[in-house]
């Protein structure tokens, strides 16, 4: 049995408000990534024997982070 993988290539042309919104969202994503990475590094630095906090565990940390940073 063979699997066929297909894809679609497209180009978007956002207007200026959409571009601004995309840059804001990318900045927010970068902030959350760096914040979670810093938390994981600090946890490892404090206790190298502790288990790694995975993706699903980090999802629980997002709710308090959203309250702290409302953007």
């Amino acid at each position: 049995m063979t699997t066929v993988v297909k894809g679609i290539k497209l180009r978007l042309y956002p207007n200026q408000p959409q571009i601004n919104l995309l840059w804001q969202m990318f900045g927010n994503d970068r902030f959350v990534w760096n914040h979670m990475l810093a938390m994981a590094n600090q946890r490892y630095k404090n206790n190298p024997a502790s288990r790694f906090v995975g993706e699903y565990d980090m999802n629980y940390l997002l709710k308090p982070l959203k309250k702290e940073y409302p953007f």
Side-chain angles (χ1 to χ4, degrees):
M1 182 173 202
T2 60
T3 304
V4 178
V5 180
K6 294 183 178 185
I8 298 173
K9 200 181 227 187
L10 63 110
R11 175 145 168 93
L12 300 176
Y13 297 97
N15 58 28
Q16 194 58 47
Q18 292 169 333
I19 291 171
N20 294 340
L21 185 60
L22 286 170
W23 279 113
Q24 178 66 41
M25 287 191 300
F26 291 146
N28 294 347
D29 292 343
R30 189 172 45 249
F31 173 81
V32 170
W33 171 264
N34 288 334
H35 197 282
M36 292 292 182
L37 181 62
M39 287 172 53
N41 286 339
Q42 188 65 34
R43 178 184 167 109
Y44 180 77
K45 182 179 171 186
N46 291 338
N47 184 7
S50 66
R51 72 176 188 87
F52 178 73
V53 178
E55 176 183 351
Y56 295 108
D57 296 329
M58 285 186 185
N59 286 339
Y60 292 111
L61 299 173
L62 280 177
K63 195 169 188 177
L65 193 63
K66 285 180 182 179
K67 289 181 181 177
E68 189 175 346
Y69 301 100
F71 58 81

